[in-house]
Amino acid sequence: MATSPPPPGAPGAPGPCGASAASRIPAHIHRRRWLILSVLMLSLLIVVLDNSILNVAMKTIATPAPAGLGATQSELEWAINSYTLVFAGLLFTSGLLGDRLGRKKVLLFGLTVFGTGSVLAAVSASPTQLIAFRALMGLGGAFVMPATLAILMNVFDREEQPRAIGIWAGGVGLAIAIGPIAGGLLLDHFWWGSVFLVNVPIVLIALAVMVVLVPDSRDPAPGRLDPVGVLLSVVGLILLVYGIIKGGQLADFTAPRVLATVLSGLVVLAGFVVHQKRSDHPSIDIGQFRKPAFSAAVAAIALVFFALMGVTFFIVFYVQTVRGYSPLESGLLILPLAAAQLVFAPRARLAVDRFGARAVCTVGMLVVAVTMAGMLLLGTDTPIWVLEVLFFLQGTGMAHIMPPVTVTIMQSLPREKAGSGSALNNIFRQVGGTLGIAVLGSLLSTSYRTGIQGSLDALRGVPDPVRAAAGESIEATLGLAARLHPLPARALTIKADDAFLHAMHVTALGSAAVSLVGAVIVAAFLPGKMGPAPHAAEPRDGRKAGAAR
C-alpha cells in the first residue's frame, strides 16, 4: 500500500512543483524504467495508430458496399468525431480515477474496452454501427492516454523526465508512420474492417506485458471524491465539443443550435471552475492557470493540433483523389512527417537546454506556420517531393513543440496528480484538434462548394437535389461525374480538382494563421533558458511516497 507523505517542512516533503526527495522510486522499478516506457509506448501506439489508419481508410469506407459502407461526408466526420466526443468528455474523469484507483488498473481497463470496440467496429454493417463502436473505442482511449503519461512521470526522476517525454512524443511519430502504411497494406489485401481488427493483437500483447512489467501508482492522499466537479467536467466538455462538431458539419457556427450548445458547454465549464475554486477538495488546482507558462503550454498544444488536424483531414483527399495515389502509397508519403517527429522529439530537450523552451517552441511554431503556407505550392502536377519536404519540416517543427510544452505542464503539477495533469494535456489537444477539423473542415467545405457550384448549375438534366449533394465534397462531385457522358464528365472532373485545390489553399492559410498565433503566445509567455531545478536528488532505496510500486 502507498504510505502517507511527510508533513510540509519535514525532510523529503514535497517541493513547490511536486518533484522532491519524497518521490522515491524503488530501485527495481528504476532499473527497468526504459522497458516500462517501451510498454507504455505500445499502449500509446494503438490509440494513435487507429486514428492515423482511419484517415487512410476514409475514402474506402465512403465507397458503396461491398467494398465500403457507402458513408457520406457527414458520416465520415462522425466516425472520427464520435470517438473524439467521448474521448474528450471522459479524459479528465479518467485521469482523476487513475490518480485515485491506480493508473495501471485504469490503463488495463482502457485497453480492454478499446480492443473490444475495435472488434465490433471491424464487423460494422452500417455507418451508424461504425459511429457507435468508434464511440466505444473513444471510451477505452480516454482511459489509456492519460494513464501512459502519468505512469511515465512516476517511474522517471525529474532529470530524466524531459528525455522520457521526448521519446513518448516520438512514439506518436512512429504511430503516424506505421498507421497509414499498415492501413494501405491492409486495404490492398483485405476488407476495410481489417484496419480496426489490426488493433486486437497489439492490445493482447500490451495487456500481457503490462501485467508483468508496469508498476501501479496512485495519489497516496487523494482526499474526498468530488462528484459534482466530475459531472460538471463531463457535461461541459461534451456540450462544448459537440457544439464545435455540429458547427463544422453545418458550416455555420452562428446557427442557433450550435451557439446554444457551445454556450451551454462554456457556462457549465465556467461553473466547474467556480466550483473548483470554492471547494475544499477540488479535482484540480485552478490556480495553475494563473501561471503564464502553464497557460501558454496548454494553449500551444491546442493551437498546434488545431492547425495539424485540419490539414490532415484534407491532405488525404488531395493525395488519393486529386493525385490518384493508392492508400498504401499515400501512407508512404506521410513517412517524412512521422520520421521527423520520431528522430527529433527525443532530442528536443537538448535544444531546450541550450536555447530555452521559449526560443525552441517559438521557432517550432513558426516552422509549422511556414509549412502550412507552403501547401499553396501544391497543385495537380506539383512534384511530389515538394509535399515530402513540407511534411519533413512540419514534423521537425512539431517535434520541437510537443515535448517542451508537455514537460512544462507535467512538471508544474505534483507527481501524485500526474493523472489529472496528463488528462489536461490531452483535453486541450483533443479540443484543439476537434476545433481544427470542425472549423477548417467547414472552411474547406464552404470554399469547395463556392468553387464548384457554377459548374454544377451548368449541368443540364441533373435534378437540383443531386446537384446539392454533389457539391458537398470532391468525392460526391466525382461520383456524379462518373454517371455523366465522357465529355461533360471530364470537364466536371477538372473543375472539381481546381475547386478543391483552391479550397485546400484557403484552409492551409487558415492553419498557418493559427500557428502564427501560437508562436506569439509561446514567445510571450513560455519561460526562457533556465538553470538546473533546485531540488534534492531522488534516492532509490526501495522506499516511496505515493510513487510507483
Side-chain angles (χ1 to χ4, degrees):
M1 289 183 61
T3 58
S4 299
C17 292
S20 70
S23 301
R24 294 169 181 171
I25 301 171
H28 69 283
I29 291 176
H30 179 76
R31 285 194 298 269
R32 67 185 190 216
R33 65 196 184 283
W34 297 110
L35 189 57
I36 292 170
L37 177 59
S38 301
V39 178
L40 295 176
M41 287 178 63
L42 188 62
S43 305
L44 177 70
L45 177 70
I46 63 166
V47 176
V48 181
L49 178 76
D50 175 75
N51 285 297
S52 58
I53 282 183
L54 182 59
N55 285 332
V56 175
M58 284 193 299
K59 186 174 184 293
T60 304
I61 294 173
T63 59
L69 289 177
T72 65
Q73 184 79 8
S74 176
E75 288 169 336
L76 283 177
E77 291 179 6
W78 269 112
I80 296 173
N81 291 329
S82 63
Y83 178 99
T84 303
L85 186 64
V86 177
F87 186 91
L90 294 177
L91 272 172
F92 186 68
T93 301
S94 70
L96 291 175
L97 289 175
D99 288 342
R100 177 173 291 273
L101 303 178
R103 290 135 194 162
K104 179 178 179 178
K105 298 181 185 71
V106 163
L107 182 52
L108 292 173
F109 170 78
L111 284 172
T112 303
V113 173
F114 190 89
T116 303
S118 298
V119 173
L120 294 173
V123 297
S124 298
S126 68
T128 301
Q129 288 186 10
L130 177 61
I131 292 168
F133 295 139
R134 284 281 297 164
L136 181 62
M137 293 172 69
L139 170 64
F143 283 83
V144 171
M145 286 290 283
T148 59
L149 188 53
I151 292 173
L152 179 155
M153 297 299 291
N154 278 273
V155 298
F156 283 92
D157 292 336
R158 185 180 177 89
E159 294 86 351
E160 287 186 319
Q161 286 171 1
R163 181 184 177 194
I165 288 174
I167 295 173
W168 180 85
V172 176
L174 178 64
I176 291 173
I178 294 175
I181 296 171
L185 285 169
L186 291 168
L187 292 173
D188 279 354
H189 297 89
F190 304 100
W191 94 114
W192 64 267
S194 61
V195 302
F196 298 110
L197 207 59
V198 73
N199 294 329
V200 178
I202 302 176
V203 167
L204 293 176
I205 293 171
L207 285 171
V209 178
M210 200 169 295
V211 168
V212 176
L213 285 179
V214 176
D216 203 358
S217 63
R218 58 187 175 91
D219 186 347
R224 287 186 292 153
L225 285 171
D226 181 23
V228 175
V230 170
L231 180 63
L232 289 173
S233 70
V234 172
V235 173
L237 284 169
I238 288 178
L239 285 173
L240 176 62
V241 173
Y242 179 80
I244 292 168
I245 292 170
K246 201 62 184 176
Q249 287 184 329
L250 297 175
D252 182 8
F253 287 88
T254 63
R257 56 176 165 166
V258 173
L259 284 176
T261 307
V262 170
L263 290 175
S264 296
L266 291 174
V267 168
V268 174
L269 289 175
F272 169 74
V273 171
V274 172
H275 173 73
Q276 294 301 290
K277 293 175 71 174
R278 294 180 176 177
S279 175
D280 59 357
H281 55 287
S283 300
I284 186 171
D285 181 9
I286 297 298
Q288 292 291 337
F289 287 93
R290 288 196 290 268
K291 299 177 181 178
F294 184 87
S295 295
V298 295
I301 286 177
L303 290 172
V304 76
F305 271 88
F306 181 103
L308 180 69
M309 292 304 291
V311 170
T312 302
F313 190 75
F314 73 64
I315 206 68
V316 172
F317 291 97
Y318 168 73
V319 171
Q320 293 188 33
T321 303
V322 176
R323 300 303 299 268
Y325 288 95
S326 70
L328 175 58
E329 290 169 334
S330 66
L332 291 170
L333 289 175
I334 300 176
L335 268 177
L337 175 69
Q341 290 190 55
L342 185 61
V343 170
F344 292 111
R347 294 168 173 79
R349 65 187 175 85
L350 302 176
V352 172
D353 289 343
R354 182 170 182 180
F355 302 108
R358 179 191 301 156
V360 172
C361 290
T362 300
V363 172
M365 278 288 193
L366 291 174
V367 169
V368 171
V370 169
T371 56
M372 294 294 183
M375 303 245 172
L376 295 175
L377 300 172
L378 302 178
T380 55
D381 55 358
T382 304
I384 203 64
W385 62 262
V386 175
L387 177 63
E388 300 300 272
V389 171
L390 290 173
F391 271 160
F392 183 80
L393 292 175
Q394 194 171 99
T396 302
M398 288 194 65
H400 287 85
I401 299 169
M402 300 310 298
V405 296
T406 301
V407 169
T408 299
I409 293 170
M410 296 305 295
Q411 290 193 344
S412 295
L413 298 171
R415 175 175 281 176
E416 59 269 18
K417 301 296 183 184
S420 56
S422 178
L424 280 175
N425 177 72
N426 283 286
I427 284 170
F428 279 88
R429 186 179 72 174
Q430 284 301 316
V431 170
T434 304
L435 269 170
I437 292 175
V439 176
L440 297 179
S442 174
L443 181 61
L444 179 73
S445 177
T446 301
S447 300
Y448 177 76
R449 182 179 286 278
T450 301
I452 198 64
Q453 195 62 53
S455 300
L456 293 174
D457 290 342
L459 295 174
R460 296 182 178 179
V462 177
D464 289 341
V466 175
R467 284 197 185 96
E472 285 188 2
S473 67
I474 186 173
E475 284 294 320
T477 304
L478 295 181
L480 173 60
R483 302 196 297 269
L484 301 176
H485 292 295
L487 191 59
R490 175 61 180 164
L492 184 60
T493 299
I494 293 173
K495 291 291 186 181
D497 286 347
D498 290 342
F500 180 82
L501 287 172
H502 174 71
M504 184 180 83
H505 293 160
V506 171
T507 306
L509 283 177
S511 296
V514 170
S515 301
L516 285 176
V517 172
V520 172
I521 290 175
V522 298
F525 298 111
L526 274 189
K529 188 175 181 181
M530 299 174 65
H535 69 281
E538 296 180 6
R540 301 180 194 104
D541 58 357
R543 294 170 293 167
K544 56 161 181 60
R549 62 183 185 277

